[in-house]
Structure formats: C-alpha cells, structure tokens
Amino acid sequence: MINFQTKYLPGNVFDNSLANGFAELIMNLVAGVLYRVGIKKSYLILFGLSVIGGTCIILVGADNQALMPVFVMIAKGGISGGFLIAYVCTMDVFPTLFCATALGCCNFMARFLTILAPEIAEQPPPLPMALFTILIAIGIIIVQFVRPLPKKN
C-alpha cells in the first residue's frame, strides 16, 4: 500500500519515490543477513521499523517535509525485508511436502488483499497510513505465534 500512498505523502514525490526504491534495495540485502537471528526476531525488527516509519509519517511528516524521504525509507524498508523473510523462512516453518502449497496459498491471499490497496490509498489522510501502521503492528503480534520446525541432525 505504501507504493500507492507515496504520491500523496507530504514533500517532493520524486524524493519519496527514490527513497521508496532505495529502501527496498537496501533492506532486501540486510534482511537476508538479519534472518540469522531467527524468524521472530527478524520480523520484530523489520516490522518494528515499519511501525516507527508509519508513525513518523502520520505524526511528523506534514510538519517536517524534509525528513519525509527518511520516514518512507524506514516504513518501506521494514516491509520489503519482511517480504524477503517470508520467502526465506517457508522451509523452516512448513514441512517440505507442503512448502510450495503453503507459499502459494499465502501469496494468493496477499495478492488478493492487495487489490484493496489503491482504493485505500485514495482515502483522506491519515487513514491510509494509520491502517498501514495498525496492520503492521498486528503482524508483529501474529508472527510471535510462528513455530519453526525442529532442526534435523
């Protein structure tokens, strides 16, 4: 949703879009290394960054437009890293027999729900960013219930 919301955020749309793309590039590299600390901790760190970024956009963004690209980078970076972790951790959460099916079902539902993103982005502020931040915070809680498969020697 933040991709659609970028054009409506305060500040220069080009700077915000550049920060959006740069955050995705950097955090995809960082998330792969961050995954070594574990699934729950990596999601906590990455989604925590997105909650901080979303909260800053809502509370400080309109007053301090010069920092808006930084807030966008923080919010988008956490989400991008979280998507990478979702793909990487599939083998650690689901048995091999069900990995492709589980990833396919989750990906289908995610893409299906993404249909709503452009419509939500068109709503008046701060609703889109508030919804973004609330959903990420709920994601932090839900991920704490994930149990990795036991390691085989």
Side-chain angles (χ1 to χ4, degrees), residues 47-92:
F47 283 179
L49 281 173
S50 288
V51 167
I52 292 168
T55 304
C56 288
I57 289 171
I58 293 168
L59 299 178
V60 184
D63 298 333
N64 198 343
Q65 294 182 9
L67 288 177
M68 183 55 73
V70 175
F71 300 151
V72 170
M73 282 182 66
I74 293 169
K76 175 63 177 203
I79 290 298
S80 295
F83 276 124
L84 182 90
I85 298 292
Y87 286 108
V88 173
C89 79
T90 303
M91 294 291 290
D92 294 337

Side-chain angles (χ1 to χ4, degrees), residues 138-151:
I138 291 170
I140 290 173
I141 296 167
I142 290 173
V143 167
Q144 300 311 309
F145 295 102
V146 171
R147 293 187 184 194
L149 294 172
K151 299 278 183 188

